[in-house]
Each structure stands twice: as structure tokens, then as C-alpha cells.
């Protein structure tokens, strides 16, 4: 049995022990019926069966275990904490310092490689992830990665003196929903989808 399978089964069991209305209230998920919870993540809709915790994609197919674990972690760990309205760096989150090298390699570096030379491509790539433009850096977007977990992606294109750079920051309230490891997984998933959208646009000749 895979490690993912063990974690998935444990989270499904944990979800079954929680009240559905409380889950929805704390996480911002939607109650779709007596045995269905709706959750939007990075522009994609998912359905979580209750109480067995099976996570389904919009087409009814089972979600990849990696994604399902992340969504169940969010539902079972959400505290209902309100947004703080202040962006903080990953290293400022509890436990973030210990994952900073992994976070930079998995989240920030792919972002910089893809969008550093083409900052405005970030705006188009974020559109399919429900992104909203921000006034930071040379290009920036706010992604509602999960209902109560906004993430900001910022890119600087660089010039003759400075190379391109990028950063990913979070509302300080994220610690009430996910730990540093899960935040890394979520941000990595967002980066993968942004990069994938940009690469597809480039193949179609749509990059600006």
C-alpha cells in the first residue's frame, strides 16, 4: 500500500468524524446535499463525498490521491480564521523556515524561469485559476487557491543591473488552515498550473 493511500484513508476517516455543517462553515466549502461537499481549488471544482471522503473531479472521476489529500487536509484542518489582510513570506509561517529551500525549489524557481522573461504572461496564465491582478512588481496576481487561502504571485522582469526575480506570499491567516508542508504542496500545484497555462499559450503563439 502506498504512502499516499495510507494518508488518504486516514484523512477520509477523520472527515467522517466531523460535522458537515461545521466543515463548510470553517472552510468556506459548499454543502451540495446530504452527502456532498463542493470545494473549488485553483479554478477547478471538486466534490467530496460525505461521510466516506472520496474526492471527485468535476467530471465525476476520482481525483489524484495527491490532490485529494491536500483537499481533505484543508477541510479537516480549517479553523474558520478570518483573513488578516497582510501578506507574509513563506519563511514567516510557523515551520516555514524548515521548508524554505524546498519551497524555493518547487514553487519560486519554476515561476521565475517561466515568467521572469515574460512577466505579463503571468496575468493571462492566472485567468483560468480565478486570478485577479495586483499592483505589485512588474506583474502580480492574487489566486484564491482555496476558499479561504489566497496566494499572491509576484514577478519582476529584471533589467541590465538586476536579474528577474519572483516571490509567492500568503495571507497571514493561512496558518489557520494548512501547515507549512501543505502550503508548499498547494503553492507547488498553483505554480504547476500557471506554468502549464503559460506553456500552452506559448505553443499557440499567444504569449505577449
Amino acid at each position: 500500500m502506498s504512502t499516499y493511500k495510507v494518508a488518504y484513508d486516514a484523512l477520509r476517516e477523520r472527515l467522517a468524524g466531523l460535522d458537515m455543517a461545521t466543515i463548510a462553515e470553517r472552510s468556506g466549502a459548499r454543502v451540495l446535499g446530504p452527502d456532498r461537499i463542493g470545494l473549488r481549488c485553483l479554478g477547478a471544482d471538486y466534490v467530496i463525498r460525505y461521510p466516506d471522503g472520496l474526492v471527485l473531479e468535476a467530471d465525476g472521476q476520482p481525483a489524484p490521491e495527491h490532490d485529494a489529500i491536500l483537499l481533505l487536509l484543508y477541510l479537516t484542518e480549517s479553523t474558520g480564521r478570518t483573513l488578516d489582510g497582510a501578506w507574509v513570506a513563506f519563511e514567516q509561517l510557523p515551520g516555514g523556515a524548515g521548508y524554505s529551500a524546498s519551497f524555493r525549489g518547487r514553487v519560486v524557481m519554476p515561476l521565475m524561469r517561466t515568467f521572469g522573461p515574460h512577466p505579463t504572461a503571468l496575468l493571462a496564465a492566472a485567468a483560468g485559476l480565478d486570478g485577479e491582478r495586483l499592483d505589485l512588481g512588474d506583474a502580480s496576481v492574487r489566486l484564491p487557491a482555496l476558499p479561504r487561502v489566497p496566494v499572491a504571485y509576484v514577478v519582476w522582469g529584471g533589467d541590465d543591473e538586476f536579474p528577474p526575480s519572483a516571490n509567492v506570499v500568503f495571507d497571514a491567516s493561512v496558518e489557520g488552515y494548512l501547515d507549512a508542508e501543505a502550503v508548499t504542496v498547494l503553492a507547488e500545484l498553483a505554480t504547476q498550473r500557471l506554468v502549464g497555462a503559460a506553456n500552452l499559450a506559448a505553443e499557440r503563439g499567444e504569449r505577449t
Side-chain angles (χ1 to χ4, degrees):
M1 183 178 293
S2 71
T3 302
Y4 282 155
K5 175 65 173 172
V6 172
Y8 190 11
D9 287 347
L11 285 166
R12 292 174 65 180
E13 183 175 352
R14 188 191 305 177
L15 185 82
L18 300 175
D19 175 70
M20 180 190 283
T22 301
I23 293 170
E25 180 181 0
R26 290 177 177 175
S27 68
R30 295 171 293 117
V31 175
L32 303 178
D35 59 354
R36 293 287 191 277
I37 299 171
L39 187 60
R40 191 163 178 83
C41 175
L42 295 167
D45 289 311
Y46 296 86
V47 173
I48 297 87
R49 293 198 323 209
Y50 182 86
D52 73 12
L54 183 66
V55 180
L56 306 173
E57 296 183 326
D59 61 3
Q61 294 299 309
E65 288 183 349
H66 186 268
D67 297 349
I69 289 169
L70 176 64
L71 299 181
L72 289 178
L73 274 172
Y74 175 73
L75 292 177
T76 57
E77 297 292 335
S78 291
T79 64
R81 177 172 169 174
T82 57
L83 291 177
D84 283 23
W87 296 115
V88 297
F90 178 78
E91 291 79 7
Q92 294 175 268
L93 300 177
Y99 285 94
S100 61
S102 176
F103 182 84
R104 181 164 180 79
R106 294 161 59 183
V107 178
V108 178
M109 293 304 295
L111 181 75
M112 186 169 62
R113 286 194 297 267
T114 299
F115 299 105
H118 310 280
T120 58
L122 177 66
L123 307 179
L129 279 65
D130 300 331
E132 300 177 355
R133 185 171 183 166
L134 294 175
D135 188 22
L136 300 170
D138 290 329
S140 56
V141 293
R142 177 190 186 274
L143 300 180
L146 286 161
R148 294 185 176 165
V149 181
V151 185
Y153 281 70
V154 188
V155 176
W156 292 266
D159 53 30
D160 293 339
E161 296 184 21
F162 300 100
S165 61
N167 200 8
V168 179
V169 294
F170 306 86
D171 188 90
S173 63
V174 69
E175 64 185 75
Y177 295 91
L178 298 170
D179 63 19
E181 183 178 7
V183 167
T184 300
V185 173
L186 177 63
E188 181 182 28
L189 179 61
T191 293
Q192 289 171 347
R193 292 187 180 179
L194 286 169
V195 170
N199 289 340
L200 182 60
E203 291 172 5
R204 294 174 174 173
E206 297 172 0
R207 176 177 283 174
T208 58

